[in-house]
Amino acid sequence: QAQRKLDAVIRATGNASGYTAAQLSKLADSLARTSTFDDEGFRTATATLLRFGNIGGANLEKVLKLSADYAALTGGDLVSAAEALGKALNNPAEGLKRLERNFGDLGKETEDAIKLQQDMGNQAGALGLAIEALQKKIGGADETMNAGLTGSMKQLKKALSELLEAGGALADNSAVVGILDAISARLRGLKEVMEGPWSLKLMALMRGGDFLAALGNAAPEAITPAGAGGGAFSLDAQNARALAAP
């Protein structure tokens, strides 16, 4: 649905952004990889920004990233953030003032420079200065929110959501069902291990990536504590000795 909406906006605006639908779809996928927001959100946000008609070319990617930063900063959703930035950047001399309550003053010198460009009729210059000011003020907020364990859990949730979307578009067949069932089983097994008394040992192993490789070869029912004290664990006969080593 997000892609169809994006295609419709591209046609309606006469491809004023300078991108094809395929290029914009690829851009959405790329941005989603390092963001707390998914590819569908970026596609819809792109369609939202294109409707304003003044954001295209290299500025489009910059404003999409800023939309993610603004959403992360305010706790809102990506599409609403894109709508807010699109409105503000349509008349940056006045529009940015409405956003400043969420991230602080941009500074009188910056505001005056933007207004001067706009008063001179240089809309592109005013837009460029406004984007640069926003990058300095809120740039990187989304990336910061996506760091550490919290970010990793969000990425996992997002990846699972995208997997379900892709699976829903496929025909119902035993191969697809088998793959999804296997993934579900592995995740349930991982949850049981992480909740067990050997979780500290597990986390140490996961940092090296060895545990995940071993988990991929193990049936969930094979994951058991290796001793009464819970100081080690066993996935299967092949990997138990290596994983239980200090």
Side-chain angles (χ1 to χ4, degrees):
Q1 184 177 358
Q3 185 61 48
R4 289 197 295 271
K5 182 177 181 180
L6 180 56
D7 292 343
V9 172
I10 292 173
R11 288 194 298 271
T13 58
N15 198 24
S17 69
Y19 291 94
T20 65
Q23 288 172 327
L24 289 175
S25 182
K26 186 176 180 180
L27 176 61
D29 290 337
S30 176
L31 292 174
R33 292 190 190 101
T34 56
S35 172
T36 55
F37 303 101
D38 63 18
D39 56 339
E40 292 291 288
F42 274 107
R43 285 183 177 85
T44 305
T46 300
T48 298
L49 290 174
L50 292 181
R51 286 192 291 104
F52 289 97
N54 66 323
I55 301 172
N59 283 337
L60 179 61
E61 181 174 352
K62 293 177 183 177
V63 179
L64 280 170
K65 289 181 178 179
L66 286 170
S67 297
D69 292 328
Y70 185 71
L73 188 69
T74 59
D77 65 274
L78 180 59
V79 178
S80 296
E83 180 81 24
L85 285 185
K87 288 179 179 179
L89 294 174
N90 203 39
N91 179 11
E94 297 297 327
L96 291 182
K97 294 179 182 178
R98 294 193 297 269
L99 302 181
E100 287 182 336
R101 66 179 182 272
N102 292 309
F103 51 72
D105 201 305
L106 292 174
K108 188 176 186 308
E109 184 177 345
T110 297
E111 292 174 351
D112 288 347
I114 293 172
K115 187 176 186 305
L116 177 61
Q117 291 298 317
Q118 199 162 317
D119 289 345
M120 292 171 59
N122 185 3
Q123 298 297 330
L127 178 63
L129 288 175
I131 290 173
E132 183 179 344
L134 287 171
Q135 287 175 323
K136 291 178 180 178
K137 194 70 175 180
I138 65 173
D142 180 39
E143 184 178 349
T144 300
M145 296 286 191
N146 202 33
L149 180 60
T150 299
S152 295
M153 295 299 286
K154 289 179 179 178
Q155 287 293 333
L156 175 60
K157 182 178 179 181
K158 184 173 65 175
L160 288 173
S161 176
E162 292 172 355
L163 174 63
L164 292 175
E165 288 177 11
L170 297 173
D172 187 8
N173 61 66
S174 58
V176 173
V177 171
I179 290 171
L180 294 179
D181 285 347
I183 292 172
S184 297
R186 298 292 182 261
L187 291 175
R188 283 194 295 271
L190 178 58
K191 174 180 176 292
E192 291 172 9
V193 173
M194 293 180 74
E195 291 178 343
W198 52 91
S199 58
L200 292 178
K201 175 74 172 180
L202 166 67
M203 294 307 294
L205 289 166
M206 286 179 70
R207 291 191 193 103
D210 295 338
F211 171 76
L212 294 179
L215 182 63
N217 296 323
E221 57 271 17
I223 302 174
T224 56
F233 57 89
S234 174
L235 288 174
D236 54 32
Q238 180 181 359
N239 296 302
R241 189 175 297 105
L243 292 176

